[in-house]
Amino acid sequence: MPPITAHDPEVAALIARETARQNAALTLVASENYASHAVLAAAGSALTNKYADGYPGARDYPGCEVCDDIETLARERLCRLFGAGHANVQPYSGSVANLAVYCALLNPGDRILSMKVEDGGHHTHGSPEHLSGRLYRAARYGVDPATGLLDYAEIAAAVRREQPALLICGGSFYPRTIDFGAFAEIADEAGTLCLADIAHLAGLIAGGQHPSPAGAVPLITTTTHKTLRGPRGGAILCDAEYAEEIDAAVYPCLQGGPLMHIIAAKAVCCAEAMTPAFKDYSRRVVANAKVLATALAAEGFSPFTGGTDTHLLVLDLAGAGIRGCDAEGALSRAGIAADRCPVPGRGEGYDTAGGIRLGTPAATTRGMGEEEMKALASLIAGILRNPHHPGRIGEARREVAQLARTFPVSP
Ligand code: DSN
């Protein structure tokens, strides 16, 4: 960071501290990852200096020729990666991407049907504290409490009962495959629009490890920084018939100037995600999550639904005598970041969460494989059995630090 060090040593020192923190600790937060040097370079480029309100060929500022080419490239790559008809790469975040879909295609007061937050849904899908819950009337479906799985017959019944204008699938901690085709069929039968929020699954879909909603579900939103391993931001994919309304909702309805440096970084991450190396990465992400789940089960901890098909698992701590927040704290003291999580079907909130969410995207980017997942499972089990034992936590911390040194963030 030489230019920052000379120009602003205070900020340079803080960035250096965060970089060191990321290197020394392990993150199993399922939504976190490490972007490549190329993605970071694009995000830190001179494109940040340019205003480019509008879209390629129709901007409100002069000098946007290069921005036009970059945005066109990012759109083309995103469409190619997911097999979509149209892409909007301007959303600042996944939250804005979701709002843009609602603004484009719903009227205030319309009904949304989405997954309960406490079962793995997202607050931008109609929670009362989010604008989506203030502008629209939200109804929720949950998982089957007996199996923890989505029950498509129940969801179809909820659609018939609630008559929503929009059915949303996708969320933050459902560990199993989502049958996007089933959601599309349910929505089609009811004449309802369907949105797939693939923020968590985007990288697995791009890498061929999870079925894609494209071609079945007409509206798709995502973030670009989770399993897709790009810059922090959002995007929308849709059938061509919705392109005009979606674009108008993003700009000028919700946003101002697009973040052209981030759009360039989105183009870079899409190119990376088309490589055989990324396909292999996403395969290893899922393989690692399965090994972690199996090894934790062998240690006596219960992965919710018995395991995972994806990049994450939810450990049900009910039988382990430890609350989610205490598990999060103990793991954190040992150098492992993982967030507490409600166990679906139990009506728990985040403050009363009885589970912990573990994800493998970041550890896999560091090069960890199945042996390291087994070692991590044993470390996690030891920490959760002795959450208040300073000696044991200290011992685990040293082992975590050694693992982190062996698998640095930027090899
Ligand atoms: N905050 C993200 C997550 O951790 O899953 C969802 O937006």
Side-chain angles (χ1 to χ4, degrees), residues 29-31 122 172 200 223 226 339 357:
V29 172
S31 49
H122 198 258
S172 297
H200 264 268
T223 52
K226 297 187 177 88
D339 49 342
R357 182 178 70 158

Side-chain angles (χ1 to χ4, degrees), residues 13-376:
L14 289 170
I15 294 173
R17 240 176 82 197
E18 173 58 13
T19 307
R21 189 199 67 77
Q22 289 185 15
N23 259 294
L26 297 181
T27 180
L28 294 179
V29 172
S31 49
E32 291 184 352
N33 213 330
Y34 307 105
S36 69
H37 288 302
V39 165
L40 294 178
S45 68
L47 287 158
T48 195
N49 300 333
K50 189 71 195 95
Y51 256 120
D53 300 34
Y55 288 103
R59 305 281 188 186
D60 295 346
Y61 290 84
C64 291
E65 309 77 33
V66 178
C67 288
D68 281 2
D69 286 352
I70 285 170
E71 186 163 351
T72 301
L73 187 63
R75 281 172 165 186
E76 283 171 3
R77 285 183 179 176
L78 200 65
C79 282
R80 193 145 36 100
L81 188 58
F82 290 101
H86 177 73
N88 188 307
V89 292
Q90 292 196 6
Y92 300 149
S93 66
S95 308
V96 179
N98 285 337
L99 269 182
V101 170
Y102 312 149
C103 288
L105 301 166
L106 302 181
N107 293 309
D110 275 355
R111 174 81 76 195
I112 291 175
L113 181 65
S114 59
M115 193 175 190
K116 289 178 187 169
V117 171
E118 62 270 28
D119 282 10
H122 198 258
H123 77 284
T124 61
H125 299 171
S127 289
E129 67 276 15
H130 185 256
L131 191 59
S132 55
R134 297 190 189 182
L135 291 179
Y136 311 102
R137 292 176 302 135
R140 300 288 201 168
Y141 58 84
V143 295
D144 179 332
T147 61
L149 302 177
L150 288 167
D151 179 337
Y152 296 94
E154 274 299 315
I155 295 165
V159 168
R160 285 193 294 274
R161 191 174 60 243
E162 303 291 345
Q163 308 258 303
L166 180 69
L167 172 63
I168 305 178
C169 48
S172 297
F173 53 88
Y174 187 68
R176 294 297 185 174
T177 300
I178 296 177
D179 188 343
F180 291 120
F183 272 101
E185 242 174 66
I186 292 168
D188 280 351
E189 268 171 27
T192 295
L193 281 170
C194 190
L195 163 66
D197 181 338
I198 61 164
H200 264 268
L201 298 171
L204 304 187
I205 293 168
Q209 300 303 310
H210 189 289
S212 173
V217 178
L219 299 154
I220 300 169
T221 53
T222 188
T223 52
T224 46
H225 50 270
K226 297 187 177 88
T227 49
L228 196 55
R229 217 164 52 177
R232 193 156 289 275
I236 304 171
L237 296 155
C238 64
D239 288 355
E241 64 177 295
Y242 300 111
E244 209 173 306
E245 288 154 296
I246 291 289
D247 285 355
V250 174
Y251 175 83
C253 182
L254 288 172
Q255 293 193 169
L259 309 178
M260 291 311 308
H261 52 308
I262 298 300
I263 290 174
K266 287 172 184 171
V268 172
C269 95
C270 285
E272 290 177 352
M274 287 178 209
T275 61
F278 189 87
K279 196 178 166 92
D280 184 53
Y281 161 71
S282 62
R283 182 193 59 72
R284 286 184 287 115
V285 166
V286 176
N288 279 346
K290 284 179 190 286
V291 171
L292 187 60
T294 304
L296 280 162
E299 291 277 359
F301 291 87
S302 310
F304 182 68
T305 75
T308 179
D309 302 323
T310 66
H311 60 302
L312 66 85
L313 54 124
V314 174
L315 216 51
D316 179 354
L317 301 171
I322 178 169
R323 298 180 308 165
C325 59
D326 294 328
E328 180 184 301
L331 289 169
S332 177
R333 287 194 295 283
I336 297 174
D339 49 342
R340 66 188 176 282
C341 177
V343 178
R346 298 222 184 115
E348 296 169 351
Y350 273 87
D351 41 352
T352 57
I356 191 102
R357 182 178 70 158
L358 303 169
T360 53
T364 308
T365 295
R366 289 175 85 140
M368 291 185 200
E370 299 186 7
E371 283 317 303
E372 288 72 38
M373 293 304 118
K374 288 178 194 162
L376 272 172

